[in-house]
Amino acid sequence: VVFVEDGMKACGISEYLCGLLAGHGMKNTRILAFGGQYYGHGSRDEVLAAAGLAVTDISGAVKECSR
């Protein structure tokens, strides 16, 4: 399962749901979200790419988790 969150990774809903899934034995999960650092100004696509949330990053995470 890949969670993509347009927010902070720490204390986000994705982190909570991954914890629930792990508690039920599902360990093949990944969270893509904004880290704690500052992201500079730019277009939405530029900021998402800087955070690792571009379409290519998401598709790569899905492929990785499906192995």
Side-chain angles (χ1 to χ4, degrees):
V1 175
V2 177
F3 294 95
V4 181
E5 188 163 349
D6 190 8
M8 301 293 291
K9 179 178 181 178
C11 301
I13 187 68
S14 298
E15 189 174 66
Y16 173 75
L17 292 173
C18 275
L20 285 177
L21 291 173
H24 287 88
M26 184 172 212
K27 296 183 173 106
N28 196 14
T29 60
R30 178 117 184 249
I31 300 172
L32 299 178
F34 286 95
Q37 68 270 24
Y38 173 77
Y39 295 94
H41 295 282
S43 70
R44 178 169 173 80
D45 288 339
E46 291 169 336
V47 174
L48 291 174
L53 296 169
V55 172
T56 55
D57 299 313
I58 296 168
S59 64
V62 170
K63 288 177 186 173
E64 183 180 302
C65 279
S66 65
R67 293 182 189 165

